[in-house]
Amino acid sequence: MTQGQPITTSITLNLPETVFSALRKTPDEFAQKMRIAAAVKWYELEKISQDKAAEIAGLTRAEFIQALSRYHVSPFQYTEADLVREMENAD
């Protein structure tokens, strides 16, 4: 193994052929869209960081932030309490 090369694992999903034609995607395009959608959702749920989400999605961090915008998900993970605390300490 070359240093710096991540170890990868392949997974297999069995899906009906009709999903690809319904979404007008090839199986490879569908798989990539699933990776991005999963990463966006896990990020939105605060399960993973932006860096990890970008890695899962197979995107750079900048590309992942653009994907967040397409899915209408904020790139900022702040709770209401976080925002209140930030405003109190803004002086």
Side-chain angles (χ1 to χ4, degrees):
M1 178 171 67
T2 306
Q3 187 176 12
Q5 292 289 335
I7 297 172
T8 61
T9 300
S10 294
I11 60 171
T12 301
L13 295 173
N14 296 312
L15 300 167
E17 281 289 323
T18 55
V19 300
F20 307 115
S21 61
L23 295 172
R24 294 184 175 93
K25 302 285 182 220
T26 67
D28 287 341
E29 291 169 330
F30 183 85
Q32 178 59 27
K33 295 291 184 188
M34 280 184 63
R35 286 177 66 174
I36 294 169
V40 166
K41 189 62 181 178
W42 291 330
Y43 175 77
E44 180 181 34
L45 295 173
E46 298 184 8
K47 301 289 184 187
I48 56 176
S49 67
Q50 264 186 25
D51 287 336
K52 184 55 69 178
E55 180 182 354
I56 290 168
L59 302 173
T60 65
R61 191 162 174 202
E63 291 167 335
F64 181 70
I65 290 170
Q66 290 172 345
L68 290 173
S69 176
R70 288 192 300 275
Y71 281 87
H72 306 287
V73 173
S74 173
F76 306 106
Q77 290 185 329
Y78 281 103
T79 65
E80 185 177 339
D82 291 335
L83 292 174
V84 168
R85 193 170 34 257
E86 287 290 327
M87 294 303 292
E88 288 171 351
N89 296 324
D91 297 331

Short mmCIF file of all heavy atoms in Angstrom, two decimals, residues 10-17 19-20 27 30-35 38:
data_model
loop_
_atom_site.label_atom_id
_atom_site.label_comp_id
_atom_site.label_asym_id
_atom_site.label_seq_id
_atom_site.Cartn_x
_atom_site.Cartn_y
_atom_site.Cartn_z
N SER A 10 -15.58 -1.81 -0.42
CA SER A 10 -16.70 -1.78 -1.36
C SER A 10 -17.92 -2.38 -0.71
O SER A 10 -17.82 -3.33 0.07
CB SER A 10 -16.37 -2.58 -2.63
OG SER A 10 -15.32 -1.98 -3.33
N ILE A 11 -19.08 -1.80 -1.01
CA ILE A 11 -20.33 -2.36 -0.55
C ILE A 11 -21.22 -2.59 -1.77
O ILE A 11 -21.06 -1.92 -2.80
CB ILE A 11 -21.04 -1.47 0.49
CG1 ILE A 11 -21.37 -0.10 -0.10
CG2 ILE A 11 -20.23 -1.35 1.74
CD1 ILE A 11 -22.24 0.76 0.79
N THR A 12 -22.13 -3.52 -1.65
CA THR A 12 -23.04 -3.84 -2.75
C THR A 12 -24.46 -3.54 -2.31
O THR A 12 -24.88 -3.95 -1.22
CB THR A 12 -22.92 -5.32 -3.13
OG1 THR A 12 -21.58 -5.59 -3.50
CG2 THR A 12 -23.84 -5.66 -4.28
N LEU A 13 -25.19 -2.82 -3.15
CA LEU A 13 -26.61 -2.55 -2.93
C LEU A 13 -27.38 -3.21 -4.06
O LEU A 13 -27.05 -3.02 -5.23
CB LEU A 13 -26.91 -1.06 -2.93
CG LEU A 13 -26.30 -0.22 -1.82
CD1 LEU A 13 -26.55 1.26 -2.09
CD2 LEU A 13 -26.87 -0.62 -0.48
N ASN A 14 -28.40 -3.94 -3.71
CA ASN A 14 -29.26 -4.55 -4.72
C ASN A 14 -30.49 -3.67 -4.89
O ASN A 14 -31.30 -3.55 -3.97
CB ASN A 14 -29.66 -5.97 -4.30
CG ASN A 14 -28.46 -6.88 -4.24
OD1 ASN A 14 -27.65 -6.91 -5.15
ND2 ASN A 14 -28.33 -7.61 -3.15
N LEU A 15 -30.58 -3.04 -6.06
CA LEU A 15 -31.68 -2.14 -6.35
C LEU A 15 -32.36 -2.57 -7.64
O LEU A 15 -31.69 -3.06 -8.56
CB LEU A 15 -31.17 -0.70 -6.52
CG LEU A 15 -30.46 -0.09 -5.31
CD1 LEU A 15 -29.74 1.18 -5.70
CD2 LEU A 15 -31.46 0.19 -4.21
N PRO A 16 -33.66 -2.36 -7.75
CA PRO A 16 -34.34 -2.69 -9.00
C PRO A 16 -33.80 -1.83 -10.14
O PRO A 16 -33.50 -0.65 -9.95
CB PRO A 16 -35.80 -2.36 -8.73
CG PRO A 16 -35.92 -2.18 -7.25
CD PRO A 16 -34.55 -1.85 -6.74
N GLU A 17 -33.66 -2.41 -11.30
CA GLU A 17 -33.17 -1.67 -12.48
C GLU A 17 -34.02 -0.44 -12.77
O GLU A 17 -33.53 0.55 -13.28
CB GLU A 17 -33.16 -2.57 -13.72
CG GLU A 17 -32.00 -3.52 -13.80
CD GLU A 17 -30.68 -2.81 -14.09
OE1 GLU A 17 -30.66 -1.82 -14.86
OE2 GLU A 17 -29.67 -3.26 -13.52
N VAL A 19 -35.10 1.86 -10.89
CA VAL A 19 -34.75 3.11 -10.20
C VAL A 19 -33.82 3.97 -11.05
O VAL A 19 -33.88 5.19 -10.99
CB VAL A 19 -34.13 2.88 -8.80
CG1 VAL A 19 -35.08 2.15 -7.90
CG2 VAL A 19 -32.80 2.21 -8.87
N PHE A 20 -32.96 3.33 -11.83
CA PHE A 20 -32.01 4.09 -12.63
C PHE A 20 -32.71 4.83 -13.76
O PHE A 20 -32.43 6.00 -14.02
CB PHE A 20 -30.90 3.19 -13.17
CG PHE A 20 -30.23 2.40 -12.08
CD1 PHE A 20 -30.34 1.02 -12.04
CD2 PHE A 20 -29.53 3.04 -11.08
CE1 PHE A 20 -29.74 0.28 -11.03
CE2 PHE A 20 -28.92 2.32 -10.06
CZ PHE A 20 -29.04 0.94 -10.04
N PRO A 27 -26.07 3.55 -13.09
CA PRO A 27 -25.78 3.04 -11.74
C PRO A 27 -24.63 3.80 -11.05
O PRO A 27 -24.72 4.09 -9.85
CB PRO A 27 -25.41 1.58 -11.98
CG PRO A 27 -26.24 1.22 -13.19
CD PRO A 27 -26.19 2.47 -14.05
N PHE A 30 -25.97 7.21 -9.97
CA PHE A 30 -26.88 6.99 -8.86
C PHE A 30 -26.10 6.77 -7.56
O PHE A 30 -26.41 7.38 -6.53
CB PHE A 30 -27.78 5.78 -9.14
CG PHE A 30 -28.81 5.52 -8.09
CD1 PHE A 30 -30.02 6.18 -8.10
CD2 PHE A 30 -28.57 4.60 -7.09
CE1 PHE A 30 -30.98 5.94 -7.12
CE2 PHE A 30 -29.51 4.34 -6.11
CZ PHE A 30 -30.72 5.01 -6.12
N ALA A 31 -25.06 5.95 -7.61
CA ALA A 31 -24.23 5.68 -6.43
C ALA A 31 -23.58 6.96 -5.92
O ALA A 31 -23.54 7.20 -4.71
CB ALA A 31 -23.18 4.63 -6.75
N GLN A 32 -23.07 7.78 -6.83
CA GLN A 32 -22.44 9.04 -6.42
C GLN A 32 -23.46 9.98 -5.78
O GLN A 32 -23.20 10.60 -4.76
CB GLN A 32 -21.76 9.73 -7.61
CG GLN A 32 -21.12 11.06 -7.27
CD GLN A 32 -20.06 10.99 -6.17
OE1 GLN A 32 -19.43 9.97 -5.96
NE2 GLN A 32 -19.89 12.08 -5.44
N LYS A 33 -24.66 10.06 -6.35
CA LYS A 33 -25.71 10.91 -5.78
C LYS A 33 -26.12 10.40 -4.40
O LYS A 33 -26.39 11.19 -3.49
CB LYS A 33 -26.94 10.97 -6.69
CG LYS A 33 -26.69 11.63 -8.02
CD LYS A 33 -26.46 13.10 -7.87
CE LYS A 33 -26.31 13.76 -9.23
NZ LYS A 33 -25.89 15.14 -9.11
N MET A 34 -26.16 9.07 -4.22
CA MET A 34 -26.48 8.50 -2.91
C MET A 34 -25.42 8.86 -1.88
O MET A 34 -25.75 9.18 -0.74
CB MET A 34 -26.61 6.98 -3.00
CG MET A 34 -27.92 6.51 -3.56
SD MET A 34 -28.06 4.71 -3.54
CE MET A 34 -27.99 4.35 -1.79
N ARG A 35 -24.14 8.80 -2.27
CA ARG A 35 -23.05 9.15 -1.36
C ARG A 35 -23.20 10.60 -0.89
O ARG A 35 -23.06 10.90 0.29
CB ARG A 35 -21.70 8.99 -2.04
CG ARG A 35 -21.24 7.57 -2.22
CD ARG A 35 -19.94 7.49 -2.98
NE ARG A 35 -18.84 8.09 -2.21
CZ ARG A 35 -17.58 8.07 -2.58
NH1 ARG A 35 -17.22 7.49 -3.72
NH2 ARG A 35 -16.65 8.62 -1.84
N ALA A 38 -26.40 11.03 1.39
CA ALA A 38 -26.16 10.47 2.72
C ALA A 38 -25.24 11.38 3.52
O ALA A 38 -25.51 11.67 4.70
CB ALA A 38 -25.57 9.07 2.61
#
